[in-house]
Amino acid sequence: MHLPAAVWIRKAIIENGYSQGYFLMGEGDRLEWYTSHRRALIPLDERFRYPKSLQRLLNQNRFQVAINRNFKAVVAGCAARPNTWITPRLQQLYYLLHATGWAVSFETWQGDELAGGILGIVIGGAFIGESMFYRIPDGSKVAMVKLVEHLRRRGFLLFDAQLQNPHLERFGAYVVSDRQYQQLLAQAIRKPCQFL
């Protein structure tokens, strides 16, 4: 894809930040880099779990999954909350990263309706989950399960959820120190994985 040199320079700066364990958040018209001394990870091994009620839903095949079918709608869905850090400026940055093949959306659909999705950044064998949302109940939960299955098939080493919360804990999310995270991240970004 032919993009101006300034775009590739900006992408390189952003990739460098994420490769060191930082992530971006919007504050008004500014974008700020953040990090956490306690990083939440979604396990890609047998520690990953989910409620039995969700297994029944998965067995019904009510949702179909897609990748990048409607990236902009997933970004908009993730940003549509009363206090959002996905500001218009950060949304534009996600569009840029998507155009260069770096930002992706993993989506669930019910017919022609977007049910939910997960927005993420891919570097080597690391998937950095930026945000998730749903429009139809359980849409994002199914996306989480199917995304983990997808990452396993593709040989990914790391699913970074950034910050722990009760919802992620239900899926087996666990917290590591910054030192542990940096070691895992360094190993993951060196692994050449293909998300698509």
Side-chain angles (χ1 to χ4, degrees):
M1 175 180 291
H2 178 71
L3 291 169
V7 170
W8 291 107
I9 291 169
R10 193 179 326 163
K11 178 183 178 285
I13 292 169
I14 294 164
E15 184 172 354
N16 185 54
Y18 275 93
S19 296
Q20 294 181 56
Y22 294 94
F23 52 90
L24 283 167
M25 296 179 80
E27 289 189 6
D29 291 333
R30 300 188 327 270
L31 296 178
E32 300 286 345
W33 286 106
Y34 290 87
T35 191
S36 174
H37 296 296
R38 292 172 52 78
R39 205 63 167 246
L41 304 180
I42 303 293
L44 296 176
D45 55 21
E46 68 283 349
R47 293 173 291 175
F48 181 73
R49 63 179 187 269
Y50 49 88
K52 289 182 181 177
S53 59
L54 185 55
Q55 183 60 59
R56 289 192 292 273
L57 179 65
L58 289 162
N59 292 340
Q60 295 170 4
N61 293 315
R62 285 176 34 202
F63 298 102
Q64 301 79 47
V65 297
I67 297 173
N68 296 334
R69 180 172 165 186
N70 195 335
F71 180 83
K72 286 191 174 185
V74 171
V75 173
C78 290
R81 53 194 69 181
N83 296 310
T84 185
W85 52 269
I86 303 179
T87 59
R89 186 171 180 189
L90 185 53
Q91 290 180 52
Q92 292 300 317
L93 185 60
Y94 286 141
Y95 302 152
L96 164 68
L97 295 176
H98 179 64
T100 59
W102 206 48
V104 297
S105 60
F106 194 88
E107 309 157 3
T108 50
W109 291 78
Q110 199 168 71
D112 291 330
E113 186 176 358
L114 179 61
I118 300 172
L119 170 65
I121 305 290
V122 175
I123 315 173
F127 181 89
I128 301 165
E130 294 284 281
S131 186
M132 61 193 301
F133 83 105
Y134 70 90
R135 291 181 183 162
I136 297 174
D138 298 316
S140 62
K141 294 175 186 173
V142 171
M144 174 71 80
V145 173
K146 294 297 185 179
L147 175 58
V148 167
E149 292 174 357
H150 180 78
L151 295 175
R152 286 172 173 167
R153 284 193 304 271
R154 295 290 180 151
F156 276 71
L157 299 179
L158 181 70
F159 185 166
D160 177 8
Q162 298 178 347
L163 302 173
Q164 181 71 293
N165 63 49
H167 175 68
L168 296 177
E169 284 180 354
R170 294 175 62 197
F171 290 92
Y174 63 101
V175 174
V176 296
S177 68
D178 183 58
R179 183 176 179 180
Q180 291 172 300
Y181 176 75
Q182 293 294 338
Q183 292 171 344
L184 292 167
L185 180 64
Q187 182 183 3
I189 62 177
R190 286 194 300 266
K191 186 173 183 186
C193 293
Q194 295 295 321
F195 187 79
L196 299 177

